[in-house]
Amino acid sequence: MDIAASQKTGLMRAAIVTGPGHISVETRPIPEPGPGQVRVKLEGCGVCASNLTPWAGPDWMTFPTEAGGLGHEGWGIVDAIGADVTGLRVGERVAALSYHAYATHDIADASMVAALPKELDGKPFPGEPLGCAMNIFSRSNIESGQTVAIIGIGFLGALLTRLAAAAGARVIAISRRPYSLEVAREMGAAETIPMDDHWRIIERVKTLTGGKFCDRVIEAVGKQWPLDLAGELTKERGRLIIAGYHQDGPRQINMQLWNWRGLDVINAHERDPAIYIKGIRDAIEAVRQGRIDPQPLYTHIYPLERLDDALNSTRDRPDGFLKALVQYS
C-alpha cells in the first residue's frame, strides 16, 4: 500500500519488531492527534544505534513492539492538527521528535516539532541525531586554538569533527575503520589515528601535543575501551565529554587518573525535551547556513520493508557505512 492509498483508506504502514532480528510491516489505522498534538505523514526516519540492544532481544525486551516503535528520528509533512495547537499548519514540512516513527504516520506533541525551511525541501532531516550533535558540541565548550580528540567517527563523530574544526580547533580523529578516518579528514580533521593499539595511540597524541594531551576529548563510541582511552588523552584540567551511548552495562573508570588530572567530565546526553528541540532547531539553522552538511553522511537508504537490513547494517557497519535511513516516499 502506497502513502496516497493509505490516506484514502485511513490505514498506514508500520514496522513491528516481532522478535530478536525480525520485523513485520503491517497496516494499522492512522492515529488522530489529540489536544496539543500534530500528526505527521512521515517521509522517513533515521536508524539510531540505540535501537541495536532492543533489536538483539535482551531479557528485558518485550515483543512485539508497538507499531512503528523504536523509530524516533522522523521527518515529513504535518497532515492533521489537534486542538490548542498554534504556530504549525497542515502541509508544513517538519522534523519531529516522536517515538513510533518506523511508520508512514506518527503523532507528536506540537512542542516537539520544528518547521523546516524551504532551503531543505527534498532533503532528509532526521532531527534527533542532528540535534544531539549540536547539543553535544554546545556542552563541549570548544574554542578556537584548542586541540580536540574525537574518538569514534560515525555519523555523530563526523558532525562533531566538522563543528569543532569550523570553530577553529585542531581536531585529532581516532577511529577503527579507514573509511571513517577518510570521512574525518573531509570534515576537517587535522590528524587521523587508527584505533588499534591503546598505548600507541596515547604516545601518538602525546607527540602531537608536545606532551600536554588534549583540551577536549569527545568519546563517541559507547564502549569501555574508548572510554578508557578518552581519559588518557585528556590533559590536566581538560574536559572529557561522553557522547557514546553506554547502554549495554556498567562501566569502570580510572578515577585515580581522572582525579589526578582534575578533569571536568561531561555526560552530554540530554533528557529535557526543551533542550532536545532546541538542539534540533540549532541543527536546522546550521544546515541552512551551510555550517554542517549531513547529506553525504546518509550512506545507506532502505524502504520500510527492509528496516531489518537497515538495523543490521547499523550493527555490522559494512565498508562505507555511516548512517542508515528508512524512507517511505
Side-chain angles (χ1 to χ4, degrees):
M1 177 185 296
D2 63 28
I3 292 179
S6 72
Q7 288 289 94
K8 293 178 182 178
T9 61
L11 297 174
M12 68 175 187
R13 291 182 297 132
I16 296 168
V17 182
T18 56
H22 295 281
I23 68 161
S24 173
V25 176
E26 302 179 8
T27 57
R28 294 292 167 85
I30 295 178
E32 294 296 329
Q37 295 180 326
V38 300
R39 186 175 69 209
V40 181
K41 184 173 77 171
L42 293 163
E43 297 173 6
C45 181
V47 177
C48 181
S50 69
N51 293 165
L52 297 181
T53 295
W55 180 237
D59 291 342
W60 51 261
M61 185 64 189
T62 300
F63 297 106
T65 60
E66 296 178 343
L70 301 183
H72 57 273
E73 300 182 2
W75 72 93
I77 306 291
V78 174
D79 78 338
I81 293 179
D84 304 320
V85 173
T86 59
L88 291 167
R89 55 181 172 77
V90 171
E92 195 165 18
R93 193 163 183 264
V94 298
L97 182 58
S98 63
Y99 296 96
H100 300 83
Y102 288 144
T104 59
H105 298 73
D106 198 9
I107 300 295
D109 289 342
S111 61
M112 293 293 102
V113 173
L116 297 175
K118 291 292 185 183
E119 294 94 324
L120 302 185
D121 280 358
K123 296 181 180 180
F125 201 91
E128 194 269 351
L130 292 167
C132 279
M134 301 305 294
N135 285 333
I136 291 164
F137 180 70
S138 176
R139 294 191 68 183
S140 299
N141 195 27
I142 291 169
E143 299 175 355
S144 180
Q146 292 178 338
T147 297
V148 177
I150 300 178
I151 303 174
I153 307 298
F155 182 72
L156 182 62
L159 290 171
L160 290 166
T161 297
R162 177 62 188 151
L163 289 164
R170 176 196 185 199
V171 179
I172 302 171
I174 303 165
S175 202
R176 178 176 55 86
R177 298 180 297 157
Y179 171 73
S180 296
L181 296 177
E182 179 183 334
V183 169
R185 285 188 287 270
E186 293 172 356
M187 294 292 107
E191 306 283 349
T192 59
I193 302 175
M195 191 172 174
D196 47 19
D197 180 86
H198 184 80
W199 297 110
R200 190 189 69 79
I201 296 168
I202 293 170
E203 287 303 312
R204 177 63 178 152
V205 173
K206 185 177 181 180
T207 298
L208 289 171
T209 59
K212 294 181 179 179
F213 293 107
C214 301
D215 301 280
R216 303 287 184 266
V217 177
I218 302 176
E219 182 276 308
V221 179
K223 300 293 183 184
Q224 180 69 60
W225 174 35
L227 183 62
D228 294 339
L229 182 63
E232 296 280 1
L233 301 184
T234 309
K235 76 174 191 179
E236 290 183 9
R237 300 199 71 189
R239 179 172 291 202
L240 166 58
I241 301 99
I242 301 169
Y245 193 38
H246 293 264
Q247 64 174 343
D248 61 338
R251 295 287 182 257
Q252 293 183 327
I253 60 169
N254 185 347
M255 185 54 74
Q256 180 186 33
L257 174 71
W258 289 17
N259 182 260
W260 181 257
R261 292 192 184 176
L263 303 184
D264 292 336
V265 180
I266 301 295
N267 181 355
H269 289 273
E270 302 291 353
R271 291 295 174 263
D272 184 335
I275 296 176
Y276 265 132
I277 198 67
K278 180 183 183 302
I280 292 173
R281 292 197 171 103
D282 288 345
I284 291 169
E285 190 62 15
V287 175
R288 189 189 67 79
Q289 294 176 354
R291 291 169 51 211
I292 57 173
D293 179 12
Q295 197 71 25
L297 307 180
Y298 306 135
T299 55
H300 288 61
I301 312 295
Y302 300 87
L304 183 61
E305 288 75 13
R306 292 182 60 200
L307 174 61
D308 52 352
D309 291 334
L311 287 161
N312 289 338
S313 292
T314 302
R315 177 195 64 205
D316 299 336
R317 308 186 77 76
D319 190 43
F321 179 91
L322 277 179
K323 179 72 172 177
L325 306 178
V326 289
Q327 292 193 246
Y328 318 141
S329 60

